[in-house]
Amino acid sequence: IMDNVSETLMFTLSGLSGTTNYRHTLFALTLLCYCVIWLVNLAIIVTIVVNRNLHEPMYIFLCNLCINGLYGTAGFYPKFLIDLLSTIHVISYAGCLLQGFVLHSSVGADFSILAVMAYDRYVAICRPLEYHSVMTTQRVCVIVFFAWLIPFCLLFLSSITTLRLSLCGSHIPKIYCINHLVGKLSCSASVAQVIVPAFNYTFYFLHIMFIVWSYMYLLKKCQFSAENRSKFMQTCLPHLLCLITVVVSLLFDLLYMRFGTKKLPQGVNNFMSMEFLIIPPIINPLIYGFKLSKVKNRIMQYLCGKRL
């Protein structure tokens, strides 16, 4: 029955097929973008790590958000930059699964950390007297550990499900690998192919609902207190903007991948595929860097060489 199945060792990525004429320009812009991502995220990470007065839960979670930004983009940019200078755009089976795992788990960790940050803001604003007894150092470490562990476990399960598939093709119409597109190459449908992604999507949709609910609740609580309103605008607004950036960028790619048309130019397709790997990793640290006064003051202190 499975005579037509060949053992797939390499995948072909066709997303760059139309970039031959301007690939060097694209390489330069992509390298610049990747350098900016490293610069802005590393600036926030180093600022928080070296300053003891920033070793508070909110800043620890922010530091992890920036680390996750570097982790996720590392799964895409180095391979993409190599492909831009190459005439053959292929990736090994193991490399494809690894890239899919890194990109998926990074998105999952983004939502986990943003959900944790929402809970942190809820405790800080609604239960300020209990904040330090609730958000102890030990508890923060446990929360951060599980914020990373759960996405890794869920996506490891998803990768194992993908690995077990018998494939009848090796052509991926994208500039990077994700489990969904590898699954579409399978010779026959599998129940696990439906159940595992459905569970993951539901799990992280609940994260988004929790974050939205927590901010609606906080807005309601803050409307009668000028101090709480100020605290919300200072610490919650950047968080809310980060959530919107991540969700909108991701939805662009997910909706296009599921329901998109093939009539769009390849360049537009590629940008929509890359959007969640460009905008959130740059915008998130910039939003926090400019909005959180403690972080901004420390960065300005280093840049200007003086104490503010």
Side-chain angles (χ1 to χ4, degrees), residues 44-264:
I44 299 291
I45 293 166
V46 171
T47 300
I48 292 170
V49 169
V50 301
N51 288 280
R52 293 188 65 85
N53 63 336
L54 295 180
H55 293 181
E56 300 171 15
M58 180 174 67
Y59 300 108
I60 292 170
F61 299 141
L62 170 58
C63 184
N64 278 271
L65 191 67
C66 292
I67 291 170
N68 186 53
L70 295 181
Y71 162 69
T73 51
F76 168 71
Y77 281 94
K79 170 71 172 115
F80 184 62
L81 288 166
I82 292 169
D83 283 346
L84 284 171
L85 297 181
S86 174
T87 54
I88 303 171
H89 308 131
V90 295
I91 187 168
S92 67
Y93 194 179
C96 185
L97 289 177
L98 178 62
Q99 186 174 53
F101 174 82
V102 171
L103 294 180
H104 284 295
S105 59
S106 173
V107 171
D110 250 343
F111 287 122
S112 292
I113 295 167
L114 287 170
V116 165
M117 292 171 85
Y119 175 71
D120 174 70
R121 291 301 85 204
Y122 159 76
V123 178
I125 293 173
C126 297
R127 299 161 62 187
L129 298 178
E130 302 172 46
Y131 181 75
H132 291 291
S133 60
V134 172
M135 302 301 286
T136 61
T137 303
Q138 185 178 6
R139 187 164 294 171
V140 168
C141 290
V142 171
I143 289 171
V144 168
F145 175 74
F146 280 103
W148 284 98
L149 180 67
I150 293 171
F152 275 38
C153 289
L154 289 177
L155 273 307
F156 181 73
L157 180 61
S158 180
S159 297
I160 292 296
T161 303
T162 305
L163 181 64
R164 292 172 61 87
L165 298 174
S166 298
L167 305 181
C168 287
S170 60
H171 176 81
I172 293 179
K174 214 173 178 72
I175 52 178
Y176 54 77
C177 276
I178 53 173
N179 292 344
H180 171 69
L181 293 179
V182 177
K184 288 180 75 172
L185 298 174
S186 66
C187 304
S188 57
S190 159
V191 176
Q193 270 182 273
V194 178
I195 293 176
V196 173
F199 177 81
N200 289 349
Y201 283 134
T202 304
F203 184 72
Y204 286 109
F205 178 75
L206 291 175
H207 277 57
I208 296 170
M209 288 296 97
F210 167 74
I211 297 169
V212 171
W213 172 83
S214 68
Y215 278 110
M216 290 174 66
Y217 185 81
L218 286 175
L219 278 170
K220 186 179 178 182
K221 285 287 184 181
C222 290
Q223 62 183 336
F224 302 112
S225 167
E227 182 185 348
N228 282 348
R229 276 201 304 273
S230 173
K231 194 182 289 186
F232 181 90
M233 293 299 291
Q234 180 70 25
T235 61
C236 298
L237 189 60
H239 183 195
L240 196 56
L241 291 172
C242 287
L243 176 68
I244 292 168
T245 304
V246 172
V247 171
V248 171
S249 299
L250 198 60
L251 277 178
F252 260 106
D253 187 46
L254 287 175
L255 292 175
Y256 173 74
M257 189 170 59
R258 299 276 179 175
F259 310 109
T261 172
K262 295 181 180 179
K263 295 179 181 178
L264 284 176

Side-chain angles (χ1 to χ4, degrees), residues 295-308:
V295 175
K296 181 175 70 177
N297 290 344
R298 285 296 179 180
I299 291 174
M300 291 304 294
Q301 177 183 324
Y302 294 138
L303 291 176
C304 300
K306 60 183 179 181
R307 187 169 298 277
L308 297 177

